[in-house]
Amino acid sequence: FGNERVFASIYGMQSSGRWLFLNVERKGWRGPWISDGTPKGTKILPRARSLKLSNPDSFVNYKGSIFFLAYTRKGRALVKMNQAGQGARVVSRFKSAFDLTVSDQALYFTADDRKHGGEPWRSLGTAKSTRLVRDVFPGSQGSYAADFTEYRGRTFFSATDALGYDNQGLWS
C-alpha cells in the first residue's frame, strides 16, 4: 500500500491468517471489507450491502469460518462467512451485541434479546446453538457481561448482578 490513501477511515481490523477484515468508512457508509494486503485485493465484503451490514467489529476465526458482529436494519447480528470472505449470512439477530470472542471451543458475546437485557450468550456458529448462558441480572436491564476469557477449560467473564453497577463480579 505504501502511502496510498484507499479509505476515508478505518475503524478496526483483524487478521484471519489469510485475509485482513476491516471496518471501513467510505463515501458515508461504514461496512465490512476484506483485503489480501494489496490495493487490488481490497474490496467490500460480498453480500455486505444486500444484507444491510454496517459497522462490523469483533472478527474472529472459529471452526474454519469467520464470525463478526454488525448492524443490520433490525439491530445487531452475529454473522458468519467462509475464510475467503464469501457466503456471508446472519446467524442470529439481537437488539445489541458486542465483545465477540472464542473461548472453550465456542463463541461468546454479550447481547440484548429485548427480553433479558445485555447478558452473556454462547454459540457454536448456528442459530439453533445460539443461546443465553445465564440471566445474571434478571429483567430488561442486563448485566453487560464482558471480558470473556478461557481458563483451565472454563470460560470466565465479568458481569454486574442485581446489587448494581458498582458491584461487578467474576462469573463462569
Side-chain angles (χ1 to χ4, degrees), residues 10 21 32 34 43 46 87 94 98 100 111 114 116 124 133 136 146 154 158:
I10 297 175
F21 296 92
I34 61 172
K43 57 190 177 229
F94 300 92
F98 56 92
L100 177 65
R114 291 180 163 71
H116 298 98
L124 299 177
V133 172
V136 176
R154 292 173 54 196
S158 63

PDB file of all heavy atoms in Angstrom, residues 10 21 32 34 43 46 87 94 98 100 111 114 116 124 133 136 146 154 158:
ATOM      1  N   ILE A  10     -10.511   3.928   8.722  1.00  0.00           N
ATOM      2  CA  ILE A  10     -10.542   2.525   9.122  1.00  0.00           C
ATOM      3  C   ILE A  10     -10.794   2.498  10.622  1.00  0.00           C
ATOM      4  O   ILE A  10     -10.064   3.124  11.385  1.00  0.00           O
ATOM      5  CB  ILE A  10      -9.216   1.804   8.778  1.00  0.00           C
ATOM      6  CG1 ILE A  10      -9.007   1.789   7.268  1.00  0.00           C
ATOM      7  CG2 ILE A  10      -9.216   0.384   9.337  1.00  0.00           C
ATOM      8  CD1 ILE A  10      -7.675   1.218   6.832  1.00  0.00           C
ATOM      9  N   PHE A  21      -9.648  -8.399   7.678  1.00  0.00           N
ATOM     10  CA  PHE A  21     -11.044  -7.975   7.692  1.00  0.00           C
ATOM     11  C   PHE A  21     -11.072  -6.598   8.330  1.00  0.00           C
ATOM     12  O   PHE A  21     -10.520  -6.398   9.407  1.00  0.00           O
ATOM     13  CB  PHE A  21     -11.903  -8.972   8.463  1.00  0.00           C
ATOM     14  CG  PHE A  21     -11.927 -10.310   7.795  1.00  0.00           C
ATOM     15  CD1 PHE A  21     -11.018 -11.291   8.142  1.00  0.00           C
ATOM     16  CD2 PHE A  21     -12.836 -10.575   6.782  1.00  0.00           C
ATOM     17  CE1 PHE A  21     -11.018 -12.510   7.504  1.00  0.00           C
ATOM     18  CE2 PHE A  21     -12.837 -11.800   6.133  1.00  0.00           C
ATOM     19  CZ  PHE A  21     -11.929 -12.764   6.499  1.00  0.00           C
ATOM     20  N   PRO A  32     -18.108  -3.798   6.237  1.00  0.00           N
ATOM     21  CA  PRO A  32     -17.032  -4.781   6.249  1.00  0.00           C
ATOM     22  C   PRO A  32     -16.328  -4.900   4.894  1.00  0.00           C
ATOM     23  O   PRO A  32     -16.974  -4.990   3.857  1.00  0.00           O
ATOM     24  CB  PRO A  32     -17.758  -6.085   6.606  1.00  0.00           C
ATOM     25  CG  PRO A  32     -19.150  -5.891   6.109  1.00  0.00           C
ATOM     26  CD  PRO A  32     -19.428  -4.421   6.216  1.00  0.00           C
ATOM     27  N   ILE A  34     -12.678  -6.804   2.963  1.00  0.00           N
ATOM     28  CA  ILE A  34     -11.620  -7.800   3.094  1.00  0.00           C
ATOM     29  C   ILE A  34     -10.440  -7.357   2.239  1.00  0.00           C
ATOM     30  O   ILE A  34     -10.607  -6.619   1.269  1.00  0.00           O
ATOM     31  CB  ILE A  34     -12.083  -9.219   2.679  1.00  0.00           C
ATOM     32  CG1 ILE A  34     -12.519  -9.266   1.215  1.00  0.00           C
ATOM     33  CG2 ILE A  34     -13.177  -9.724   3.591  1.00  0.00           C
ATOM     34  CD1 ILE A  34     -12.800 -10.669   0.711  1.00  0.00           C
ATOM     35  N   LYS A  43     -11.456  -5.086  -1.091  1.00  0.00           N
ATOM     36  CA  LYS A  43     -12.801  -4.857  -1.630  1.00  0.00           C
ATOM     37  C   LYS A  43     -13.848  -5.001  -0.529  1.00  0.00           C
ATOM     38  O   LYS A  43     -13.602  -5.595   0.513  1.00  0.00           O
ATOM     39  CB  LYS A  43     -13.094  -5.840  -2.752  1.00  0.00           C
ATOM     40  CG  LYS A  43     -12.972  -7.286  -2.330  1.00  0.00           C
ATOM     41  CD  LYS A  43     -13.027  -8.228  -3.515  1.00  0.00           C
ATOM     42  CE  LYS A  43     -12.820  -9.636  -3.027  1.00  0.00           C
ATOM     43  NZ  LYS A  43     -11.859 -10.403  -3.725  1.00  0.00           N
ATOM     44  N   PRO A  46     -18.353  -9.299  -0.101  1.00  0.00           N
ATOM     45  CA  PRO A  46     -19.511  -9.685  -0.918  1.00  0.00           C
ATOM     46  C   PRO A  46     -20.763  -9.888  -0.053  1.00  0.00           C
ATOM     47  O   PRO A  46     -20.674 -10.428   1.032  1.00  0.00           O
ATOM     48  CB  PRO A  46     -19.062 -11.006  -1.556  1.00  0.00           C
ATOM     49  CG  PRO A  46     -17.580 -10.936  -1.562  1.00  0.00           C
ATOM     50  CD  PRO A  46     -17.216 -10.172  -0.315  1.00  0.00           C
ATOM     51  N   GLY A  87     -20.035 -15.915   1.028  1.00  0.00           N
ATOM     52  CA  GLY A  87     -21.153 -16.584   1.684  1.00  0.00           C
ATOM     53  C   GLY A  87     -21.573 -15.997   3.016  1.00  0.00           C
ATOM     54  O   GLY A  87     -22.011 -16.724   3.900  1.00  0.00           O
ATOM     55  N   PHE A  94     -30.069  -9.554  17.300  1.00  0.00           N
ATOM     56  CA  PHE A  94     -30.279  -9.053  18.655  1.00  0.00           C
ATOM     57  C   PHE A  94     -30.537  -7.552  18.606  1.00  0.00           C
ATOM     58  O   PHE A  94     -30.250  -6.904  17.599  1.00  0.00           O
ATOM     59  CB  PHE A  94     -29.031  -9.309  19.513  1.00  0.00           C
ATOM     60  CG  PHE A  94     -28.674 -10.754  19.630  1.00  0.00           C
ATOM     61  CD1 PHE A  94     -27.797 -11.344  18.743  1.00  0.00           C
ATOM     62  CD2 PHE A  94     -29.243 -11.547  20.618  1.00  0.00           C
ATOM     63  CE1 PHE A  94     -27.475 -12.690  18.828  1.00  0.00           C
ATOM     64  CE2 PHE A  94     -28.935 -12.893  20.716  1.00  0.00           C
ATOM     65  CZ  PHE A  94     -28.043 -13.460  19.817  1.00  0.00           C
ATOM     66  N   PHE A  98     -22.110  -7.232  21.445  1.00  0.00           N
ATOM     67  CA  PHE A  98     -20.724  -6.774  21.412  1.00  0.00           C
ATOM     68  C   PHE A  98     -19.824  -7.788  22.108  1.00  0.00           C
ATOM     69  O   PHE A  98     -20.289  -8.747  22.709  1.00  0.00           O
ATOM     70  CB  PHE A  98     -20.592  -5.377  22.043  1.00  0.00           C
ATOM     71  CG  PHE A  98     -21.101  -5.278  23.448  1.00  0.00           C
ATOM     72  CD1 PHE A  98     -20.266  -5.480  24.533  1.00  0.00           C
ATOM     73  CD2 PHE A  98     -22.429  -4.969  23.696  1.00  0.00           C
ATOM     74  CE1 PHE A  98     -20.743  -5.382  25.826  1.00  0.00           C
ATOM     75  CE2 PHE A  98     -22.911  -4.861  24.986  1.00  0.00           C
ATOM     76  CZ  PHE A  98     -22.059  -5.071  26.060  1.00  0.00           C
ATOM     77  N   LEU A 100     -17.490 -10.086  21.000  1.00  0.00           N
ATOM     78  CA  LEU A 100     -17.422 -11.457  20.493  1.00  0.00           C
ATOM     79  C   LEU A 100     -16.012 -12.006  20.660  1.00  0.00           C
ATOM     80  O   LEU A 100     -15.032 -11.352  20.316  1.00  0.00           O
ATOM     81  CB  LEU A 100     -17.811 -11.476  19.011  1.00  0.00           C
ATOM     82  CG  LEU A 100     -17.731 -12.821  18.283  1.00  0.00           C
ATOM     83  CD1 LEU A 100     -18.746 -13.807  18.861  1.00  0.00           C
ATOM     84  CD2 LEU A 100     -17.975 -12.619  16.798  1.00  0.00           C
ATOM     85  N   ALA A 111     -25.181  -9.915  24.509  1.00  0.00           N
ATOM     86  CA  ALA A 111     -26.259  -9.490  23.620  1.00  0.00           C
ATOM     87  C   ALA A 111     -27.522  -9.188  24.416  1.00  0.00           C
ATOM     88  O   ALA A 111     -27.745  -9.740  25.489  1.00  0.00           O
ATOM     89  CB  ALA A 111     -26.550 -10.571  22.583  1.00  0.00           C
ATOM     90  N   ARG A 114     -33.919  -8.208  23.788  1.00  0.00           N
ATOM     91  CA  ARG A 114     -35.125  -7.440  24.075  1.00  0.00           C
ATOM     92  C   ARG A 114     -35.942  -8.026  25.227  1.00  0.00           C
ATOM     93  O   ARG A 114     -36.997  -7.528  25.546  1.00  0.00           O
ATOM     94  CB  ARG A 114     -36.007  -7.290  22.832  1.00  0.00           C
ATOM     95  CG  ARG A 114     -35.441  -6.409  21.766  1.00  0.00           C
ATOM     96  CD  ARG A 114     -36.359  -6.292  20.559  1.00  0.00           C
ATOM     97  NE  ARG A 114     -36.073  -5.184  19.699  1.00  0.00           N
ATOM     98  CZ  ARG A 114     -35.020  -5.056  18.905  1.00  0.00           C
ATOM     99  NH1 ARG A 114     -34.101  -5.977  18.915  1.00  0.00           N
ATOM    100  NH2 ARG A 114     -34.858  -4.010  18.133  1.00  0.00           N
ATOM    101  N   HIS A 116     -33.985 -10.008  28.027  1.00  0.00           N
ATOM    102  CA  HIS A 116     -33.077 -10.161  29.167  1.00  0.00           C
ATOM    103  C   HIS A 116     -32.113  -9.004  29.368  1.00  0.00           C
ATOM    104  O   HIS A 116     -31.362  -8.999  30.330  1.00  0.00           O
ATOM    105  CB  HIS A 116     -32.248 -11.440  29.000  1.00  0.00           C
ATOM    106  CG  HIS A 116     -33.065 -12.677  28.979  1.00  0.00           C
ATOM    107  ND1 HIS A 116     -33.432 -13.290  27.806  1.00  0.00           N
ATOM    108  CD2 HIS A 116     -33.598 -13.405  29.975  1.00  0.00           C
ATOM    109  CE1 HIS A 116     -34.157 -14.360  28.079  1.00  0.00           C
ATOM    110  NE2 HIS A 116     -34.289 -14.440  29.379  1.00  0.00           N
ATOM    111  N   LEU A 124     -22.360 -22.073  18.858  1.00  0.00           N
ATOM    112  CA  LEU A 124     -21.463 -22.977  18.137  1.00  0.00           C
ATOM    113  C   LEU A 124     -21.480 -22.642  16.648  1.00  0.00           C
ATOM    114  O   LEU A 124     -21.035 -23.433  15.820  1.00  0.00           O
ATOM    115  CB  LEU A 124     -21.864 -24.434  18.378  1.00  0.00           C
ATOM    116  CG  LEU A 124     -21.795 -24.893  19.834  1.00  0.00           C
ATOM    117  CD1 LEU A 124     -22.270 -26.326  19.977  1.00  0.00           C
ATOM    118  CD2 LEU A 124     -20.384 -24.737  20.396  1.00  0.00           C
ATOM    119  N   VAL A 133     -26.413 -17.807  28.076  1.00  0.00           N
ATOM    120  CA  VAL A 133     -25.623 -18.588  29.026  1.00  0.00           C
ATOM    121  C   VAL A 133     -26.285 -18.542  30.399  1.00  0.00           C
ATOM    122  O   VAL A 133     -26.522 -19.572  31.026  1.00  0.00           O
ATOM    123  CB  VAL A 133     -24.174 -18.053  29.130  1.00  0.00           C
ATOM    124  CG1 VAL A 133     -23.409 -18.735  30.262  1.00  0.00           C
ATOM    125  CG2 VAL A 133     -23.455 -18.237  27.814  1.00  0.00           C
ATOM    126  N   VAL A 136     -27.766 -13.187  34.372  1.00  0.00           N
ATOM    127  CA  VAL A 136     -27.053 -12.762  35.581  1.00  0.00           C
ATOM    128  C   VAL A 136     -27.831 -11.691  36.334  1.00  0.00           C
ATOM    129  O   VAL A 136     -27.950 -11.742  37.550  1.00  0.00           O
ATOM    130  CB  VAL A 136     -25.639 -12.244  35.228  1.00  0.00           C
ATOM    131  CG1 VAL A 136     -24.927 -11.705  36.458  1.00  0.00           C
ATOM    132  CG2 VAL A 136     -24.818 -13.353  34.574  1.00  0.00           C
ATOM    133  N   ALA A 146     -18.722  -9.002  30.167  1.00  0.00           N
ATOM    134  CA  ALA A 146     -17.591  -8.594  29.329  1.00  0.00           C
ATOM    135  C   ALA A 146     -16.365  -9.427  29.688  1.00  0.00           C
ATOM    136  O   ALA A 146     -16.385 -10.210  30.642  1.00  0.00           O
ATOM    137  CB  ALA A 146     -17.302  -7.114  29.534  1.00  0.00           C
ATOM    138  N   ARG A 154     -12.549 -23.582  31.230  1.00  0.00           N
ATOM    139  CA  ARG A 154     -13.824 -22.917  31.532  1.00  0.00           C
ATOM    140  C   ARG A 154     -13.775 -21.489  31.036  1.00  0.00           C
ATOM    141  O   ARG A 154     -12.706 -20.888  30.948  1.00  0.00           O
ATOM    142  CB  ARG A 154     -14.078 -22.905  33.046  1.00  0.00           C
ATOM    143  CG  ARG A 154     -14.346 -24.284  33.606  1.00  0.00           C
ATOM    144  CD  ARG A 154     -14.441 -24.318  35.114  1.00  0.00           C
ATOM    145  NE  ARG A 154     -15.401 -23.374  35.656  1.00  0.00           N
ATOM    146  CZ  ARG A 154     -15.410 -23.017  36.948  1.00  0.00           C
ATOM    147  NH1 ARG A 154     -14.543 -23.525  37.786  1.00  0.00           N
ATOM    148  NH2 ARG A 154     -16.306 -22.166  37.380  1.00  0.00           N
ATOM    149  N   SER A 158     -16.732 -11.083  33.413  1.00  0.00           N
ATOM    150  CA  SER A 158     -17.173 -10.149  34.444  1.00  0.00           C
ATOM    151  C   SER A 158     -18.595  -9.733  34.125  1.00  0.00           C
ATOM    152  O   SER A 158     -18.982  -9.660  32.960  1.00  0.00           O
ATOM    153  CB  SER A 158     -16.250  -8.929  34.503  1.00  0.00           C
ATOM    154  OG  SER A 158     -16.307  -8.226  33.285  1.00  0.00           O
TER     155      SER A 158
END
